[in-house]
Amino acid sequence: MKNLQSTFSSPATRIAIILGVAAIILSIPLIAMQFTTEVKWNLTDFMVAGALLCSTGLAIELVIRNLKTGTLRTIILVVILLALFLIWAELAVGIFGTPFAGN
């Protein structure tokens, strides 16, 4: 277990993992577009989703670097993830009815 912790303690490794996870998540709709016509993403959709995923990952990295342990760190991480899910849902289906949801 200690070996795993030392692997993830490197900031460069964590940033590579963040970018890798973002790429994997973005590959899901890309692959789905090859098999069905129900998924219709364009370049703008991929750019917005990529920016949202990368900014969330880097915000989490910033919190991990600056707050070592504690309840405040957990609360901030939960708020960041909640913001990601709410923004993603608004952009996907317009749950709040803002102009960002599209038509």
Side-chain angles (χ1 to χ4, degrees):
M1 186 67 164
K2 184 138 177 110
N3 213 2
L4 184 64
Q5 287 177 343
S6 65
T7 302
F8 289 128
S9 65
S10 167
T13 303
R14 287 194 307 253
I15 290 176
I17 290 170
I18 290 168
L19 295 175
V21 169
I24 289 170
I25 291 172
L26 288 174
S27 70
I28 294 170
L30 183 64
I31 293 169
M33 287 172 42
Q34 308 306 312
F35 297 106
T36 181
T37 58
E38 294 180 10
V39 180
K40 299 175 189 168
W41 282 32
N42 56 25
L43 181 62
T44 307
D45 295 327
F46 282 102
M47 288 175 27
V48 169
L52 187 59
L53 289 170
C54 288
S55 63
T56 301
L58 295 176
I60 289 172
E61 172 66 19
L62 186 68
V63 170
I64 289 172
R65 281 187 193 185
N66 293 328
L67 299 174
K68 296 303 177 199
T69 58
T71 307
L72 180 62
R73 177 180 173 175
T74 304
I75 291 171
I76 292 174
L77 291 175
V78 168
V79 167
I80 291 171
L81 290 174
L82 183 64
L84 167 70
F85 293 134
L86 288 175
I87 292 170
W88 194 286
E90 176 61 23
L91 292 174
V93 294
I95 60 174
F96 300 117
T98 65
F100 296 114
N103 45 356

